[in-house]
Amino acid sequence: MIEKTLQILQIDNIDLQILSILMNDATTPYTEIAKELVVSSGTVHVRMKKLQELGIVTGSNLLINPQKIGYDVCAFIGIYLQKGSEYHDAVKKMQDIPEVVELHYTTGVYSMFAKVVCRDTNHLRAVLNEKLQAIEGIQRTETIISLEESIKRQISLEDYIEAGKKK
Amino acid sequence: MIEKTLQILQIDNIDLQILSILMNDATTPYTEIAKELVVSSGTVHVRMKKLQELGIVTGSNLLINPQKIGYDVCAFIGIYLQKGSEYHDAVKKMQDIPEVVELHYTTGVYSMFAKVVCRDTNHLRAVLNEKLQAIEGIQRTETIISLEESIKRQISLEDYIEAGKKK
DNA sequence: GTTGAAAAGTGCTGCGA
DNA sequence: TCGCAGCACTTTTCAAC
């Protein structure tokens, strides 16, 4: 089943290994990747261009430690909407709240589920009371505060790479 | 209060603006940043080195679209542990489950809260039944499936940059 | 701490296989 | 389609301010 996906996507093991390396460090020089995979740097370049055109690679970003710049509080907020249909309006308003770093439309008890990053608990309270509760259609929220983020990573491509090797 | 944080961290507006640019695209050349901020590329280089040494910048990664490589299902899992003290053992075992991309130790009804990315609902079920439930100490889980990720971004440094300007 | 330029290394492109 | 080689650009360093 994994092999099938790879065929549909038209990507092979070299593509996957390039992705795997760059997902850990987007600044890895192409020459170094080329050396590791025993291909030319031109090949790495062509593959990356293809992956970008296919929309698999969407960009790159710098990872910063939010705590080190004074953003100490991370929380998840379950949001109850008065009607599910109000979701798209609510999304637009949530866009304007910079503290909201993720927003999902979900199954289960909540209509929406947000991840927010704040400086401290006061800041969190301000976001909840002044920003979120002010949005029309939001009925009620439930907050889960993260005391420690123990794992933070991207999905692994190992399974795919293994599957590709067997083929 | 924001100004205070900046002083403690020993970072100024130039640092913040460099971060802000690179957070959106980690591959932006230093020369281009230098032009935009009207400083030399050497300065940008020195600042970035400092930010890395301070632990503010922790790395960079390539953003990929999980759906494009067949990872269609994103879910949040609230986990009840038999005892809260079992958290650190559970974390170690969760590390070995590649589908778990985030793990938090939380307040509220759940002991732990995880974000998982799977290929499809079957895959998610396999992770829940075969991997998570097999971990000793995990009593029960509650799953929230994300039907749509409407917002996905990093924290904004705009507030800090504004505060720095006023000063 | 910043600058500007020089040296080293990397990214990109076209040609050949 | 892939690999090789050359040019342009970027990174990095360093002496001078």
Side-chain angles (χ1 to χ4, degrees), chain B residues 57-68:
Chain B
V57 170
T58 55
S60 66
N61 62 27
L62 202 68
L63 294 178
I64 64 162
N65 184 344
Q67 285 174 20
K68 289 266 180 178

Side-chain angles (χ1 to χ4, degrees), chain A residues 129-141:
Chain A
N129 291 346
E130 289 156 32
K131 294 185 174 177
L132 276 182
Q133 300 283 6
I135 294 175
E136 208 182 340
I138 289 185
Q139 202 174 41
R140 196 159 75 79
T141 61

Side-chain angles (χ1 to χ4, degrees), chain B residues 121-141:
Chain B
T121 48
N122 264 331
H123 186 191
L124 174 61
R125 200 195 47 210
V127 170
L128 281 170
N129 291 345
E130 289 157 31
K131 293 185 174 176
L132 277 182
Q133 300 282 8
I135 294 175
E136 209 182 339
I138 290 185
Q139 202 172 43
R140 197 158 77 78
T141 61

Side-chain angles (χ1 to χ4, degrees), chain A residues 1-2 5 9 11 16 18-19 22-27 48 54-66 68-71 74 76 87-88 91 94-108 110 113 115 117 119-120 123 143-157 159-160, chain B residues 1-2 5 9 11 16 18-19 22-27 48 54-66 68-71 74 76 87-88 91 94-108 110 113 115 117 119-120 123 143-157 159-160:
Chain A
M1 198 209 72
I2 293 176
T5 308
L9 292 167
I11 59 177
L16 289 171
I18 293 169
L19 285 177
L22 288 172
M23 274 163 68
N24 288 319
D25 182 2
T27 63
M48 276 302 291
L54 287 171
I56 293 171
V57 170
T58 54
S60 65
N61 63 27
L62 203 68
L63 293 178
I64 65 162
N65 184 344
K68 289 266 178 178
I69 54 164
Y71 279 81
C74 168
F76 293 92
Y87 176 67
H88 284 287
V91 169
M94 298 283 280
Q95 294 270 15
D96 298 333
I97 307 173
E99 290 87 352
V100 174
V101 295
E102 279 187 43
L103 183 65
H104 300 260
Y105 183 48
T106 55
T107 65
Y110 308 125
F113 198 70
K115 182 180 177 179
V117 178
R119 283 190 287 277
D120 48 43
H123 185 191
T143 305
I144 297 171
I145 293 176
S146 167
L147 301 173
E148 189 185 318
E149 186 167 21
S150 310
I151 298 178
K152 173 83 174 167
R153 63 188 173 200
Q154 290 206 70
I155 57 164
S156 163
L157 299 177
D159 286 354
Y160 279 172
Chain B
M1 199 210 70
I2 293 177
T5 307
L9 291 168
I11 60 179
L16 290 171
I18 293 169
L19 286 177
L22 288 173
M23 273 162 69
N24 289 319
D25 182 2
T27 63
M48 276 302 291
L54 286 172
I56 293 171
V57 170
T58 55
S60 66
N61 62 27
L62 202 68
L63 294 178
I64 64 162
N65 184 344
K68 289 266 180 178
I69 53 163
Y71 279 80
C74 168
F76 293 93
Y87 175 67
H88 283 288
V91 168
M94 299 283 279
Q95 294 269 17
D96 297 333
I97 306 174
E99 289 87 353
V100 175
V101 295
E102 278 188 41
L103 183 65
H104 299 260
Y105 183 48
T106 55
T107 64
Y110 309 124
F113 198 69
K115 181 180 178 181
V117 178
R119 283 190 288 278
D120 47 43
H123 186 191
T143 306
I144 297 170
I145 294 176
S146 167
L147 301 173
E148 190 186 318
E149 187 165 21
S150 309
I151 298 178
K152 173 82 176 166
R153 62 189 175 199
Q154 291 205 70
I155 57 166
S156 163
L157 299 177
D159 286 353
Y160 279 173

Side-chain angles (χ1 to χ4, degrees), chain A residues 25-36:
Chain A
D25 182 2
T27 63
T28 312
Y30 286 3
T31 49
E32 204 179 298
I33 300 170
K35 236 184 284 171
E36 204 161 315

